[in-house]
Structure formats: structure tokens, C-alpha cells
Amino acid sequence: MAALPSYRWHLAPEGLATRRQLRALGLRPGGQDVVAELHRPRRRRAPLVAFLYRVDRAKPVRPMTPARAAALATAMLARRTCPNCRLDAGYCIPRSLGMCVTCHDLPLNREDTPS
């Protein structure tokens, strides 16, 4: 198996793009294989690695259908609904809390409250 060519940050040739760059252009990889890697060095840690795809082989992003939009709206509503009070919090419930901030701040739900 041949190794992928790797480029340093900002040194990738024209015609190659990451997934985010393709999305900004309204494109998607479209099933093509990764053609190269992009390495971004970091201090005292392993470098960040991004995979590069050919722009000329990329396909346009699929349009949003009404069914897909409805499914996305339902999923986002579930992320905003507090399991304790069953109200729409207006923001995505933090997974670290497991409930809306209002319910979490109530003395009854606090674990550090003396009994």
C-alpha cells in the first residue's frame, strides 16, 4: 500500500481541498478517495491532520428536501428540550449537565447540597 503524499500547512497544491473547504464551495467529496494529507504543526503535541480531496472530482451538495428539513427540526427540538421540566430551553442542553441550566441550578437537583 502506497503512502499518501503529505503537505505542510498552507503548502498544499491548487486543486486540493479539505471537507470544510469543499463545503464552503458548495461541494462534497462524492465518494472519492483521499488523495493527500495536510499536516498542521502544534507545539508539544502531535500535528493536526486533514485529508485532502480533488476539487475537480467533487460533486455538488445534495439539496435539502422537506423531509430532511423536518427530521433536522425534530432532532434539534429534542436537543433543546429539558428532560426534567419538558420545556424548550431555547438552546441546546449541555450534555455535561443533562438538563437545562434553570433545572440544574435548583437546590433540589444539586448533589453538593447538604441533606
Side-chain angles (χ1 to χ4, degrees):
M1 181 174 152
L4 292 173
S6 61
Y7 301 100
R8 288 185 55 91
W9 189 249
H10 293 296
L11 297 177
E14 293 291 323
L16 298 181
T18 63
R19 282 183 177 269
R20 286 187 179 197
Q21 291 169 337
L22 288 176
R23 180 58 77 157
L25 296 171
L27 300 171
R28 61 185 169 96
Q32 65 174 302
D33 291 330
V34 174
V35 294
E37 292 180 346
L38 183 69
H39 293 269
R40 180 177 181 216
R42 300 187 298 176
R43 294 181 188 207
R44 295 183 292 275
R45 291 188 287 178
L48 293 175
V49 177
F51 298 118
L52 297 172
Y53 301 91
R54 289 183 48 177
V55 176
D56 60 344
R57 288 189 182 170
K59 296 180 180 177
V61 175
R62 294 183 187 119
M64 182 66 73
T65 62
R68 195 179 284 175
L72 181 61
T74 303
M76 292 306 294
L77 178 63
R79 290 184 64 190
R80 291 190 318 261
T81 304
C82 176
N84 282 1
C85 62
R86 302 281 185 208
L87 296 176
D88 184 353
Y91 55 87
C92 289
I93 305 295
R95 292 181 65 190
S96 60
L97 300 180
M99 60 187 79
C100 67
V101 176
T102 307
C103 289
H104 181 264
D105 289 343
L106 289 175
L108 298 176
N109 293 325
R110 298 298 300 238
E111 295 174 2
D112 57 338
T113 305
S115 299

